[in-house]
Amino acid sequence: MLVQLDYTDGRPIYEQIKDGIKKLILMNVLMPDEKLQSVRSLAMDLSTNPNTVQRAYSDLEREGYIYTVPGKGNFVRKNVNLKSEKARELRTEIEDILKQADELGIDRYELLRGL
């Protein structure tokens, strides 16, 4: 698996795993119906606890990124709306940031020019 952990990142490990797998799905590195590594295998590869990987997989399933087949494993869910849903989330975050900038009197163009 191409997920990498950053121990200097303040986010919990399960969130880093979850975000890494989401990114791989959205970038089409992991394709619909592709089998993910087993919980135990990914935990060994990342040198982390299997419960941590299981939590990430459970969150991904609840969020609609993967599905579980009992006795077979976890698979990437075919969902053509994932990218548009993610784009909608990003737009909302950008709108929130711009609103905060407005409230603080920070010019939007000045803010964006700094990127």
Side-chain angles (χ1 to χ4, degrees), residues 39-52:
V39 169
R40 198 173 303 263
S41 172
L42 183 55
M44 285 185 6
D45 285 354
L46 297 175
S47 299
T48 192
N49 189 304
N51 292 331
T52 302

Side-chain angles (χ1 to χ4, degrees), residues 75-92:
F75 298 83
V76 176
R77 181 176 300 283
K78 181 178 182 179
N79 185 341
V80 294
N81 297 321
L82 284 178
K83 279 190 180 179
S84 61
E85 289 172 14
K86 186 61 178 174
R88 189 172 27 257
E89 286 176 27
L90 291 172
R91 275 192 297 277
T92 300

